[in-house]
Amino acid sequence: MAIAKRLRRQAATCAALAKQIHDEEGRQRYLRLEQMYLELAESEERAGPPMSQTAGESHIKPAA
């Protein structure tokens, strides 16, 4: 969840920058970035906690 929190902070930063910028093109770019960060944060939260490395490993030995 630390990643989702960081992504939400980035989204908030983009929203603040969008309010401060004077040209419309730049403002729209920051607003799109904000939405992208929010979508990434939601995806990260839906994914849940990361699996341990050993959970995905196979116990079959490769042929020599």
Side-chain angles (χ1 to χ4, degrees), residues 7-8 10-11 14 33-42:
L7 290 168
R8 290 192 184 282
Q10 283 295 108
C14 288
L33 279 170
E34 176 194 17
Q35 289 304 308
M36 180 196 67
Y37 279 122
L38 290 173
E39 289 172 14
L40 287 171
E42 289 173 13

Side-chain angles (χ1 to χ4, degrees), residues 3-64:
I3 294 173
K5 189 175 182 179
R6 190 174 339 140
L7 290 168
R8 290 192 184 282
R9 272 197 309 254
Q10 283 295 108
T13 299
C14 288
L17 288 170
K19 290 179 183 178
Q20 295 173 9
I21 200 160
H22 298 291
D23 70 292
E24 186 62 23
E25 184 180 335
R27 189 174 80 75
Q28 290 300 317
R29 186 176 305 129
Y30 279 120
L31 292 174
R32 284 193 304 271
L33 279 170
E34 176 194 17
Q35 289 304 308
M36 180 196 67
Y37 279 122
L38 290 173
E39 289 172 14
L40 287 171
E42 289 173 13
S43 294
E44 187 67 28
E45 290 170 342
R46 279 193 303 267
M51 292 178 57
S52 69
Q53 270 188 322
T54 57
E57 291 180 3
S58 175
H59 294 291
I60 301 171
K61 293 182 181 178

